[in-house]
Amino acid sequence: MSDASATIARLLKRADDVRKAAPARSQPAAVRDQLAGLLSEARDHLDAVGDEDLRLELAGAIARRVADLDAVEVATMLGPSPEVAVAPTTSAVGRVPPGQHLTAGFPVLHVGRAPDWTRDDVRLVVTGLVGQRLVLGHADLEEIGAVERTRDFHCVTTWSRLDNTWTGVRVADVLDRAEVRPEATHAVVSGHPAYSTNLALADLAADDVLLAWAHDGRPLAREHGGPLRLVVPHLYGWKSVKWVTELRLLDRDVRGYWEERGYHDLGDPWREQRFRGD
Ligand SMILES: Nc1nc2c(c(=O)[nH]1)N[C@H]1C(S)=C(S)[C@@H](COP(=O)(O)O)O[C@H]1N2
Ligand SMILES: [Mo]
């Protein structure tokens, strides 16, 4: 074992100890901060691990614990009994992917701080391998055509929320306007503050992939990505970029925020593609 990998192993062990003690602690936010500190320190040592397989394995081990962090954060935000695991009803049978459970509420998950934007602030740039570079405001998106889709939502931190009704414009319709070039195979979708994710063009252009401004009949709440978010219901939630600002078409797959940190490039919940190598 190299020094760096031993250091990472030691940091992960400490993080696991902190995590185990967490239920006894009264300040979940402090636990989260401490865990985040240890994991980011571990991440800083990754580059120094010479062996590529070992480096990937350790990156995965760190990413798993970062995913767990989100669960700590959910606990902070929803109070003492957050992830109320509702027993699946008959209608939920066959709709909850492996390793997932139903959540009663609608957890809020993101890195950084939600921006204070209104519909007037929407400015979506569609660029890269397109014939027409677009800069679209909310009214432009509505003009392209609003649709509704009711879909389940699955977060990699293991909660699923069924029957979300999203209102927005189909990404496919936006891409038509942009005249996507034939060489384009993938896209990177970016959002506030420095978030991004990679998607294959076919996934991005699926019929139920929307740029959404309403959820369950109400304007999309700021914490859930309002005034505009991407919704990719058939993939894990981290692909559904909140406060979306850019769709960039590319002729190759370029990793986004979580994918760089060990999450899967595709992220199909039915195949449990949580982390790279799954
Ligand atoms: N801009 C931005 N979008 C984001 C994230 C983020 O950190 N920043 N987190 C993603 C993750 S991991 C999930 S599960 C969903 C959560 O959406 P919700 O907060 O509406 O439940 O948002 C996704 N979109
Ligand atoms: Mo997530």
Side-chain angles (χ1 to χ4, degrees), residues 95-100 152-160 203 232-239 264 266-275 278:
R95 291 174 60 184
V96 183
Q100 297 290 113
D152 302 338
F153 189 90
H154 310 291
C155 170
V156 72
T157 63
T158 75
W159 56 267
S160 292
D203 283 317
V232 188
H234 65 287
L235 300 177
Y236 281 123
W238 85 78
K239 300 285 184 183
H264 204 281
L266 302 174
D268 178 351
W270 293 98
R271 294 157 79 185
E272 275 212 90
Q273 294 171 334
R274 297 175 192 272
F275 305 103
D278 282 355

Side-chain angles (χ1 to χ4, degrees), residues 183-266:
E183 319 85 271
T185 56
H186 291 81
V188 167
V189 180
S190 303
H192 176 91
Y195 190 78
S196 60
T197 197
N198 47 325
L199 288 152
L201 182 52
D203 283 317
L204 187 60
D207 174 69
D208 55 2
V209 172
L210 305 188
L211 289 153
W213 52 78
H215 175 260
D216 288 351
R218 275 184 256 156
L220 186 58
R222 186 168 85 106
E223 66 270 24
H224 286 298
L228 189 72
R229 82 176 294 169
L230 180 71
V231 182
V232 188
H234 65 287
L235 300 177
Y236 281 123
W238 85 78
K239 300 285 184 183
S240 292
V241 177
K242 306 200 279 193
W243 316 296
V244 59
T245 53
E246 186 184 274
L247 312 181
R248 181 176 290 267
L249 282 298
L250 303 167
D251 59 4
R252 60 196 192 285
D253 200 7
V254 175
R255 285 179 181 144
Y257 183 90
W258 283 118
E259 294 84 5
E260 273 201 332
R261 289 162 174 78
Y263 280 41
H264 204 281
D265 287 325
L266 302 174

Side-chain angles (χ1 to χ4, degrees), residues 121-134:
D121 298 308
V122 169
R123 188 175 172 279
L124 177 77
V125 178
V126 186
T127 189
L129 294 173
V130 294
Q132 297 290 331
R133 184 177 181 275
L134 305 177

Side-chain angles (χ1 to χ4, degrees), residues 32 41 59 61 64 86 104 106 146 167 169 181 183 199 243 253:
R32 190 189 193 281
E41 207 183 322
R64 277 178 184 72
V86 177
F106 191 4
T167 310
V169 61
R181 299 226 207 110
E183 319 85 271
L199 288 152
W243 316 296
D253 200 7

Side-chain angles (χ1 to χ4, degrees), residues 38 40 94 102 143 165 229 260 273:
L38 289 166
S40 103
L102 295 185
E143 197 210 294
T165 299
R229 82 176 294 169
E260 273 201 332
Q273 294 171 334

